[in-house]
Amino acid sequence: MTYNLSLEEENKEIAKRYKGLLKGAYQTFTDADKKEIRKAFDIALEAHSTQRRKTGEPYIFHPIAVAKIVAYEIGLDTTSIVAALLHDVVEDTDYTLEDIERLFGENVARIVNGLTKISHLKKDQDASIQAENFRKMLLTLNDDVRVILIKIADRLHNMQTMDAMPADKQIKISSETLYIYAPLAHRLGLYNIKSELENLGLKYTEPDVYIDIANKVTQSKEEQKIYIDSFSNIIKETLDKEGFQYTIKGRRKSIYSIRKKMLSQGVTYDEIYDKFAIRIIYKSTIKKEKFDAWKIYSIVTDHFRPNPNRLRDWISQPKSTGYESLHITVMGPKGKWVEVQIRSERMDEIAEKGYAAHYKYKNQNERETGLDDWLNKIKESLENPNASAIDFVEDFKLNLYAKEIFIFTPNGDLKALPKHATALDFAFSIHTQVGMSCRGAKINGKLKPISQELFSGDQVEIITSKNQKPNIGWLDFVVTARARARIKNALKEDQKRIAEEGKEILTRKLKHLKITLNEKVINELVVYFKLKTSLELFYRMGNGSIENNQLKDFIAKRNNAFVSFFKNRIRRTPAKPENIDKDEVIVEYDSLVFGAEEEHLEYKMSQCCNPIPGDKVFGFITINDGIKVHKKDCPNAISLQANYAYRILSAKWIDSDNQEFKAILKLYGVDHVGIVNEITQIISRSMNVDIHNLNISSNNGIFEGSITVSVKNKSQLQKLSDAIKKIEGIDKVDRINKH
C-alpha cells in the first residue's frame, strides 16, 4: 500500500497513535508518569523529524508502535515505555547517552544503552555476524531483562511492517526471528508475541504454505465458532449453578504450529484434529483458585469423557516461565477430541503478559514460578565468553523451547530440567563440581549410569568420585546448556595442556630432522594432515596420534620436486574423489544458476534435504566443500539463514531436461491382490520412469512401502505421485527427503 498522507494528516495520525499508546497501556499511569512519557515522545518526535521508514511513513510511527507493544502486549512500566520511545534516538540522531541520562535518569539510560549496543555491532569476518549479534544481545540480560523485552517488541513491529523490504532481507530477518526471537519470547512467557513472530516468520520464509494454511483457517472459522458454542452450552448450566463467574472462549492454533504439526506427523491440514482449544477463564481469589480449577475440571469431565493420557497440571507445578494452567483433552460434541484449558484470571494474565504480570503478582503470591531461576540460569550460560558465537547461541537455544520434567533431590526439593535430561544434567544443575566428578546415580534407590534419562517424579542421588573427570563421550547424552558448556570448557583446558606438551614434542622431533618449527612449517603440517588449526596439530602430537613415520613422510614430500604442484593443488578447490556417491557428484551441466548475475558455478546437492530440479533452493558457501544446494524448506535452512546470511546465495533452476535425479516416495494404504503390479505398471509404462528400489510390507491388511525412482524434475515427480494416489487402496503418498 502506497503511503500518501499530507503533512496535516500526518500530524493528526501521529497525535492519534500517541493517544492510543496511553489508552491501551496495561499499567495505570500517574500524572508524573504521563509527564515523563510525554517528554520522551517530544524528544523522539524532534530527533526523528527528518527520518522516514522504507514505506515512506514518518520514522516516529516505529518508536510509538514499539512503545505500544511494550505497554499493552508485554505490560511493562513507565521506564520501559520511555526507553522504547527513545530506543533509536542515540543510534540514529545527535542525542548522546549522557543526554538521555540527564533527562530521564540512570535506568532509562542503561536500557537505551543496551538496545544501542545491540544495534551497533561491528562485522566480524571470522565468525557468524548474526550469532555474534545474538550473543551480545543475550549478554545484556546481565544488565536488565527489559532490554530483551523491548528488543522483542522492536523485532515484532519490524516483522509486522516488512512488506517494503527486499526479498533477501525479508528471508534473513524472518530466519533470525524464527531462530532466536520467537524462542526467547516463548521462554519469557510472551505466548501471543511468540505466535505472531512465528506466523510472520513463516509468511516470509514459506509464503505459499502460509497463504494456503491461512485461507483454510479462515474458511473453518465459522465452523469452529459453532462447535465452541455447542460445547459451552453443555457446561454453562452446571458452572452457573455452582456460582462461577467465568468466560469461555476458543483459541485457534497458530498457522506456524499447524505447519509444524503437519511436518512432524506427516499429515495434511484436514487430518489435524486439535486445530483449536477451548479456554475457561474464571474469577477467583489466590487462596481458592487451585480448588476452583479442579472443581471446573470435575464439571467438564462429568459432561465429557477425558483422555487420561492428556492431562497436564501446570497449576500444582508451574512451568519455569511462570505459566499456570490445567489442560485436559476430552471427547467433545460430534466425537471430536478437544483440548480444554482451565485457568484463573490471574493465570490468564500471566500467560498473556508473561514476565510483567508475573512481576506484578509476585509479592501477592509467594509461590515461586521459576522465572527468576531461569533468568539466573541464562546468566550462568553467559559466563563462558570464550565459546564461539555459534556454539554459544546453539547451547543457549537448547533451553529455550525445552519441555520440562520435575526431579526430586534426596531431601525432597524439586528441580526443573528439560525433557530427556540425564543423571549427568541433574548433577551439573546441582553444582559444576558435582557434575565434573559424577560417577553414577541412584535413581529411585537403584544404581544407574550417568547417561540414564530421567522422568518426572524421579528421586535422584548423585554418586561422585575424586578420580572422575569429563570425557568427550559425555557430550553425546547431556541436553542442558549448562552441562554442555562446563564439559566443553573442561575438555578445552585438557586439550590445551596436551597441545602445549605436543608443541614441545614436535619442536624436538623436527629439530632432530634438521627443520625449525615456524609458522610456515606449522601451516604446511596442518594442510598435510588435513586439519583445521595448529591447536589440533599440537594436540595430536601430544596424544600420540601422529607417529614418527608420518612425520618422515611429510619431510620426504616437502623436499620433493613436486612440492609447488602439491601446494597449488591444496589451495584450489579439492578435486572430486573418484568413488564418490552418485547423489553427491557435482552436477556436470548448467541446470542451476546463482546470485543476481545468474552465474554458472560448481555445486553439490546437500544430502540433508536432497533437492531435485524444480524445488525452491538456495546455495550455501561451505568452508571446505564449495557451494552446497539446500531446499528452502530444508530442516537446516532457518539455522543457516539466521547464522550465516552472508554465505547464502540465491539460486534457481534454468534447465532440467538432461539429467535424472533420485527421489523416494513413501506409500501407505489398504492391501489388496495385485496392488504392487498396479504401482509398478503406472511407474514403468505411464510415466516412463525407472524404479531403483521397491520395498513394500503388509500387516493385517494395511501396507506401507517405499519406492526409489529416477525423475527429471519436480513436476514429473508430482505427476507420478498423483497417478499413484488414484490407485484403489492407496491412502497417502509422501516424498521423503533423505536417502
Side-chain angles (χ1 to χ4, degrees):
M1 200 173 75
T2 316
Y3 178 80
N4 53 7
L5 292 186
S6 68
L7 195 61
E8 191 185 343
E9 289 170 326
E10 203 169 78
N11 288 334
K12 277 184 184 171
E13 183 61 25
I14 291 169
K16 182 182 157 193
R17 292 187 183 207
Y18 173 69
K19 280 175 188 160
L21 159 67
L22 295 176
K23 218 181 286 178
Y26 173 67
Q27 311 278 353
T28 42
F29 298 124
T30 62
D31 288 342
D33 290 336
K34 286 177 185 170
K35 200 173 161 189
E36 201 74 354
I37 292 168
R38 180 73 205 199
K39 185 167 70 168
F41 168 71
D42 289 339
I43 284 173
L45 185 62
E46 183 254 319
H48 295 300
S49 59
T50 58
Q51 292 176 299
R52 297 259 154 192
R53 301 197 83 209
K54 276 199 165 53
T55 52
E57 297 173 337
Y59 195 85
I60 190 67
F61 280 10
H62 173 63
I64 295 172
V66 173
K68 193 169 181 181
I69 294 166
V70 162
Y72 181 66
E73 294 188 51
I74 304 179
L76 294 179
D77 57 4
T78 306
T79 305
S80 305
I81 294 164
V82 167
L85 285 167
L86 300 168
H87 79 273
D88 280 333
V89 162
V90 173
E91 183 191 346
D92 293 342
T93 74
D94 294 333
Y95 277 90
T96 65
L97 210 56
E98 287 70 30
D99 295 333
I100 302 298
E101 188 166 349
R102 180 170 44 77
L103 290 163
F104 297 98
E106 195 186 324
N107 278 352
V108 172
R110 187 176 65 243
I111 296 168
V112 171
N113 184 35
L115 290 158
T116 308
K117 264 196 280 183
I118 294 166
S119 307
H120 268 174
L121 296 167
K122 296 283 179 284
K123 291 193 173 187
D124 177 359
Q125 296 307 311
D126 299 326
S128 160
I129 302 155
Q130 283 82 4
E132 203 58 57
N133 279 5
F134 297 148
R135 168 152 70 176
K136 291 193 180 173
M137 178 181 76
L138 297 169
L139 286 167
T140 62
L141 272 165
N142 277 321
D143 303 329
D144 196 319
V145 74
R146 287 175 292 190
V147 173
I148 298 290
L149 293 165
I150 296 168
K151 185 63 194 170
I152 288 170
D154 180 39
R155 177 52 63 114
L156 175 59
H157 186 247
N158 283 334
M159 289 292 291
Q160 288 167 340
T161 55
M162 209 162 57
D163 286 344
M165 288 261 195
D168 62 322
K169 276 275 178 69
Q170 289 175 342
I171 289 173
K172 174 190 172 292
I173 291 167
S174 302
S175 299
E176 284 180 7
T177 300
L178 292 173
Y179 185 69
I180 200 87
Y181 289 101
L184 260 177
H186 169 87
R187 202 55 176 163
L188 288 163
L190 306 170
Y191 298 110
N192 290 348
I193 288 179
K194 178 214 60 157
S195 292
E196 196 175 346
L197 286 172
E198 286 176 338
N199 284 350
L200 290 165
L202 186 67
K203 178 183 171 182
Y204 292 107
T205 53
E206 295 184 69
D208 299 343
V209 171
Y210 175 85
I211 291 162
D212 183 47
I213 297 173
N215 289 339
K216 284 173 177 165
V217 165
T218 308
Q219 287 161 17
S220 58
K221 208 180 270 184
E222 191 56 38
E223 187 189 318
Q224 284 178 14
K225 188 185 179 305
I226 293 164
Y227 189 85
I228 291 161
D229 289 346
S230 68
F231 183 95
S232 306
N233 292 337
I234 294 168
I235 58 168
K236 267 181 177 173
E237 193 184 333
T238 320
L239 287 170
D240 292 342
K241 204 165 139 188
E242 290 293 335
F244 281 108
Q245 284 181 277
Y246 62 92
T247 53
I248 299 176
K249 55 186 182 183
R251 183 194 65 90
R252 284 198 317 279
K253 261 197 165 51
S254 73
I255 295 170
Y256 181 85
S257 60
I258 290 171
R259 166 66 171 159
K260 205 173 162 192
K261 191 157 267 198
M262 284 164 67
L263 286 174
S264 65
Q265 296 180 1
V267 294
T268 63
Y269 177 85
D270 296 323
E271 289 171 303
I272 294 173
Y273 69 84
D274 55 344
K275 295 186 193 82
F276 64 94
I278 288 169
R279 195 170 281 168
I280 302 170
I281 299 159
Y282 59 93
K283 272 187 189 297
S284 188
T285 60
I286 294 281
K287 240 179 192 174
K288 276 190 71 189
E289 62 180 6
K290 188 175 175 183
F291 176 77
D292 286 343
W294 287 103
K295 198 170 177 183
I296 292 170
Y297 166 84
S298 177
I299 290 166
V300 172
T301 52
D302 280 349
H303 291 283
F304 302 106
R305 190 176 292 279
N307 180 338
N309 299 322
R310 299 288 300 159
L311 171 65
R312 299 287 179 269
D313 175 12
W314 301 115
I315 293 179
S316 305
Q317 187 56 53
K319 289 186 181 183
S320 60
T321 57
Y323 180 85
E324 295 172 68
S325 191
L326 190 60
H327 293 196
I328 50 171
T329 300
V330 298
M331 183 59 77
K334 299 179 187 173
K336 285 184 181 177
W337 287 110
V338 60
E339 184 180 74
V340 182
Q341 300 171 352
I342 301 166
R343 57 173 74 150
S344 69
E345 286 179 341
R346 179 192 68 83
M347 294 173 196
D348 190 55
E349 207 173 338
I350 286 173
E352 299 286 314
K353 299 284 187 289
Y355 180 85
H358 154 75
Y359 195 76
K360 172 184 167 184
Y361 285 105
K362 195 175 170 191
N363 298 329
Q364 296 171 29
N365 178 12
E366 289 305 310
R367 189 190 293 131
E368 177 53 64
T369 66
L371 188 71
D372 292 333
D373 283 351
W374 181 74
L375 290 172
N376 287 332
K377 276 180 198 166
I378 289 177
K379 288 176 185 177
E380 280 173 5
S381 72
L382 302 175
E383 282 171 15
N384 180 18
N386 302 320
S388 80
I390 297 288
D391 282 353
F392 175 91
V393 175
E394 283 296 346
D395 283 352
F396 182 80
K397 262 179 65 63
L398 273 175
N399 286 349
L400 287 180
Y401 265 146
K403 289 183 176 175
E404 289 174 322
I405 56 171
F406 296 94
I407 308 299
F408 288 96
T409 68
N411 299 329
D413 296 329
L414 209 54
K415 273 196 171 288
L417 286 170
K419 200 174 178 185
H420 306 304
T422 60
L424 188 56
D425 286 302
F426 178 76
F428 274 102
S429 76
I430 295 167
H431 193 277
T432 299
Q433 207 43 55
V434 174
M436 293 291 195
S437 54
C438 176
R439 187 170 60 83
K442 273 190 178 175
I443 301 173
N444 305 323
K446 291 180 180 173
L447 203 58
K448 296 287 178 184
I450 59 175
S451 57
Q452 181 69 35
E453 187 178 334
L454 303 177
F455 297 93
S456 269
D458 283 346
Q459 188 168 24
V460 182
E461 181 187 344
I462 297 299
I463 300 160
T464 60
S465 164
K466 285 178 186 174
N467 302 324
Q468 182 71 296
K469 64 175 187 174
N471 64 62
I472 199 157
W474 285 15
L475 291 171
D476 293 338
F477 55 80
V478 290
V479 302
T480 56
R482 180 191 174 98
R484 290 187 76 81
R486 299 296 189 274
I487 294 164
K488 281 180 181 176
N489 272 350
L491 293 173
K492 271 181 190 165
E493 288 306 311
D494 211 32
Q495 191 183 25
K496 274 182 196 166
R497 186 181 51 74
I498 293 167
E500 279 168 21
E501 291 170 12
K503 189 176 182 181
E504 285 176 26
I505 294 166
L506 183 61
T507 308
R508 208 165 52 241
K509 286 187 175 178
L510 287 178
K511 195 176 178 184
H512 186 67
L513 295 163
K514 308 283 190 291
I515 290 176
T516 307
L517 187 70
N518 56 32
E519 199 173 331
K520 185 169 174 261
V521 174
I522 290 169
N523 287 339
E524 287 174 19
L525 280 160
V526 167
V527 169
Y528 178 77
F529 288 111
K530 295 187 176 76
L531 304 173
K532 286 178 184 170
T533 63
S534 57
L535 182 72
E536 278 185 68
L537 173 71
F538 299 144
Y539 178 68
R540 287 176 186 231
M541 281 303 302
N543 68 13
S545 301
I546 296 173
E547 295 174 357
N548 287 346
N549 59 344
Q550 290 174 290
L551 266 184
K552 282 174 184 168
D553 286 346
F554 162 73
I555 303 299
K557 285 196 177 176
R558 191 170 183 266
N559 296 332
N560 195 297
F562 292 110
V563 70
S564 58
F565 166 74
F566 180 77
K567 283 183 190 170
N568 287 337
R569 210 169 137 233
I570 290 297
R571 284 195 199 106
R572 288 204 309 268
T573 307
K576 288 182 285 180
E578 283 176 25
N579 297 324
I580 200 161
D581 184 72
K582 187 185 170 189
D583 293 330
E584 217 183 48
V585 171
I586 293 171
V587 178
E588 300 291 348
Y589 75 108
D590 301 330
S591 63
L592 198 56
V593 288
F594 296 90
E597 305 296 316
E598 298 196 353
E599 293 179 88
H600 296 292
L601 303 168
E602 287 188 333
Y603 60 88
K604 290 182 184 179
M605 292 300 184
S606 165
Q607 284 200 310
C608 59
C609 57
N610 190 36
I612 65 172
D615 284 336
K616 289 181 178 174
V617 290
F618 64 90
F620 178 67
I621 303 164
T622 63
I623 304 275
N624 299 317
D625 222 5
I627 297 168
K628 280 280 182 90
V629 176
H630 293 260
K631 282 166 65 179
K632 282 198 173 171
D633 61 356
C634 164
N636 297 318
I638 293 298
S639 173
L640 294 175
Q641 294 272 11
N643 275 320
Y644 302 99
Y646 56 94
R647 288 209 224 147
I648 301 292
L649 278 176
S650 59
K652 71 173 185 181
W653 301 99
I654 56 162
D655 169 27
S656 56
D657 294 334
N658 309 318
Q659 187 161 342
E660 294 190 332
F661 292 79
K662 279 186 187 175
I664 300 177
L665 292 176
K666 193 94 173 161
L667 316 179
Y668 306 87
V670 180
D671 198 7
H672 66 77
V673 177
I675 194 165
V676 175
N677 190 34
E678 286 179 59
I679 294 166
T680 52
Q681 276 187 1
I682 278 182
I683 297 171
S684 311
R685 293 179 193 169
S686 315
M687 306 302 299
N688 194 23
V689 167
D690 286 337
I691 302 175
H692 289 278
N693 187 20
L694 176 63
N695 184 1
I696 289 180
S697 59
S698 176
N699 184 14
N700 293 330
I702 303 297
F703 84 88
E704 68 173 73
S706 65
I707 305 173
T708 307
V709 291
S710 277
V711 291
K712 285 188 165 58
N713 51 42
K714 191 183 179 182
S715 61
Q716 191 184 33
L717 186 65
Q718 191 59 51
K719 281 179 192 167
L720 174 60
S721 180
D722 292 343
I724 294 172
K725 278 180 191 169
K726 288 176 185 167
I727 297 172
E728 188 190 339
I730 296 287
D731 182 42
K732 199 160 61 162
V733 180
D734 289 333
R735 174 179 163 198
I736 307 297
N737 282 331
K738 206 163 184 176
H739 280 298

